[in-house]
């Protein structure tokens, strides 16, 4: 099959065709990255980043004959992003102040694409630490490296290395799983979203311990960015009850899930009399085993140029 035929097949949901396209054009993509960034891991990162974007945006290709230039342009864009990121910032300037990307949301694009379940099936083959940084970077609003680092409780350098390793392994996993059967990731995300909603609703009803007992381990750990670790429901329930009594409400904006991880983004709506009681949003990162939440890490995500890590 020539490039145009492979593009049309990929746009129809043929994941093997998409894998062949990426493999066929990888040498040219790598050459572009090296010409801009030089030899080294940065060039490899740019190629892997471009491959991830291509997976999400193959449906946007209007001229199947021009798939090669299209892929190489994505690599150039990824290289430019890396070069801009290298520019030093003043010590008092935070990455949170950088305007959000105008690119379409990868999760929404994949939702519209027939290969979305295939991508998530390949993600499941990654280790939990690698999978989590990919979920945060590409499927949530926690995209800045230092925000991901705070959410995961690791240094920024570790986030960079994990993303690089994850992208490399993801491409190999995508090719390896092209012909596999895979489940409905939308259904899994819906189940996890309902579980998070149940927690928020139960907190308002006053029966939060009963709901937690149904889907959380009684020894569950609650981890805060400031270094505080709590074990068991009591402190979490007390904190939720306190906020509810003051009039704070939560509204889920996004949930992504794999078999053992859930990332839930929640807007926090403060009462009119105390509009700054809580930061504007929080991210829950849950780790599961045997269907039960074993730990939950909290990160107060940025909005409108502000970010607050929970400091206990």
């Amino acid at each position: 099959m020539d490039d145009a035929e492979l593009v049309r097949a990929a746009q129809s949901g043929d994941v093997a065709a998409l894998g062949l396209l990426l493999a066929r054009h990888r040498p040219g993509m790598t050459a572009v990255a090296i010409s801009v960034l030089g030899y080294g891991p940065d060039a490899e990162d740019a190629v892997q980043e471009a491959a991830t974007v291509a997976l999400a945006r193959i449906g946007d290709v209007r001229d199947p004959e021009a798939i090669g230039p299209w892929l190489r342009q994505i690599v150039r864009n990824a290289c430019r992003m890396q070069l801009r990121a290298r520019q030093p910032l003043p010590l008092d300037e935070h990455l949170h102040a950088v305007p959000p990307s105008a690119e379409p949301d990868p999760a929404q694009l994949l939702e519209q694409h027939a290969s979305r379940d295939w991508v998530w099936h390949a993600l499941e083959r990654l280790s939990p630490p690698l999978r989590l940084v990919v979920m945060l970077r590409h499927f949530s609003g926690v995209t800045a490296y230092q925000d991901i680092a705070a959410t995961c409780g690791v240094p920024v350098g570790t986030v960079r290395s994990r993303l690089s390793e994850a992208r490399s392994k993801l491409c190999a996993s995508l090719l390896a799983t092209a012909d596999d059967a895979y489940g409905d990731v939308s259904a899994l995300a819906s189940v996890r979203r309902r579980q998070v909603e149940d927690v928020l609703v139960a907190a308002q009803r006053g029966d939060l311990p009963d709901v937690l007992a149904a889907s959380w381990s009684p020894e569950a750990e609650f981890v805060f960015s400031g270094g505080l670790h709590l074990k068991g429901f009591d402190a979490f329930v007390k904190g939720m009850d306190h906020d509810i009594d003051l009039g704070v409400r939560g509204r889920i904006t996004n949930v992504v899930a794999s078999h053992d991880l859930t990332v839930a983004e929640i807007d926090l709506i403060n009462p009119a009399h105390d509009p700054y009681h809580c930061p504007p949003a929080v991210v829950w990162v849950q780790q599961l085993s045997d269907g039960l939440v074993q730990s939950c890490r909290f990160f107060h995500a940025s909005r409108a140029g502000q970010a607050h890590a929970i400091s206990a």
Side-chain angles (χ1 to χ4, degrees):
M1 298 176 70
D2 61 23
D3 278 358
E5 291 173 317
L6 285 174
V7 170
R8 285 188 282 268
Q11 290 176 330
S12 299
D14 186 338
V15 294
L18 186 54
L20 283 172
L21 274 173
L22 290 174
R24 179 178 293 179
H25 288 277
R26 187 178 182 87
M29 296 165 69
T30 302
V32 169
I34 292 173
S35 71
V36 178
L37 300 173
Y39 288 97
D42 286 348
E44 182 64 23
D45 283 352
V47 173
Q48 301 294 357
E49 181 83 22
T52 304
V53 173
L55 288 168
R57 299 187 60 182
I58 189 66
D60 297 345
V61 177
R62 296 184 179 180
D63 182 5
E65 301 283 352
I67 185 64
W70 183 78
L71 288 170
R72 291 191 291 275
Q73 184 58 46
I74 294 177
V75 175
R76 290 189 188 94
N77 291 340
C79 292
R80 293 190 187 108
M81 290 294 291
Q82 284 207 30
L83 290 174
R84 284 200 292 269
R86 291 177 183 177
Q87 297 176 359
L89 294 174
L91 291 177
D92 60 347
E93 184 175 350
H94 299 289
L95 189 60
H96 307 106
V98 177
S101 171
E103 289 292 320
D105 175 50
Q108 293 178 354
L109 290 169
L110 286 174
E111 187 73 57
Q112 301 165 5
H113 196 271
S115 65
R116 184 174 189 267
D117 290 336
W118 168 53
V119 172
W120 277 92
H121 180 67
L123 276 172
E124 292 282 11
R125 294 165 63 104
L126 300 178
S127 67
L130 297 184
R131 194 177 337 118
L132 179 55
V133 295
V134 173
M135 290 168 66
L136 291 170
R137 174 75 172 169
H138 294 288
F139 299 95
S140 82
V142 186
T143 57
Y145 280 13
Q146 56 258 59
D147 285 355
I148 297 174
T151 304
C152 297
V154 298
V156 172
T158 301
V159 171
R160 293 181 183 275
S161 63
R162 286 182 181 177
L163 277 171
S164 177
E165 182 181 355
R167 289 167 184 155
S168 177
K169 289 185 175 180
L170 180 58
C171 285
S173 181
L174 285 167
L175 294 175
T177 61
D179 296 324
D180 290 359
Y182 34 80
D184 185 352
V185 68
S186 296
L188 176 61
S190 295
V191 169
R192 299 287 174 79
R193 186 186 187 98
R194 285 195 299 271
Q195 291 174 345
V196 176
E197 286 175 343
D198 287 346
V199 171
L200 298 180
V201 171
Q204 295 184 45
R205 286 197 313 255
D207 59 353
L208 182 55
D210 293 337
V211 171
L212 293 178
S215 57
W216 293 50
S217 166
E219 300 297 316
E221 283 193 344
F222 298 86
V223 186
F224 301 88
S225 298
L228 179 66
H229 286 61
L230 302 174
K231 199 165 189 177
F233 299 152
D234 289 348
F236 178 62
V237 171
K238 288 178 181 177
M240 290 284 285
D241 287 346
H242 176 69
D243 287 342
I244 292 295
D245 290 343
L246 291 177
V248 178
R249 296 293 182 267
R251 179 178 61 218
I252 299 173
T253 59
N254 183 40
V255 173
V256 291
S258 66
H259 76 281
D260 59 354
L261 289 171
T262 300
V263 176
E265 298 174 79
I266 303 169
D267 277 352
L268 297 177
I269 304 167
N270 290 311
H273 67 274
D274 189 6
Y276 300 107
H277 177 76
C278 286
V282 65
V283 178
W284 294 5
V285 177
Q286 300 175 343
Q287 293 188 332
L288 296 88
S289 178
D290 297 326
L292 297 178
V293 176
Q294 304 295 327
S295 70
C296 186
R297 178 179 286 274
F298 300 90
F299 173 73
H300 277 179
S302 61
R303 190 172 68 188
Q306 296 180 344
H308 303 271
I310 299 177
S311 58

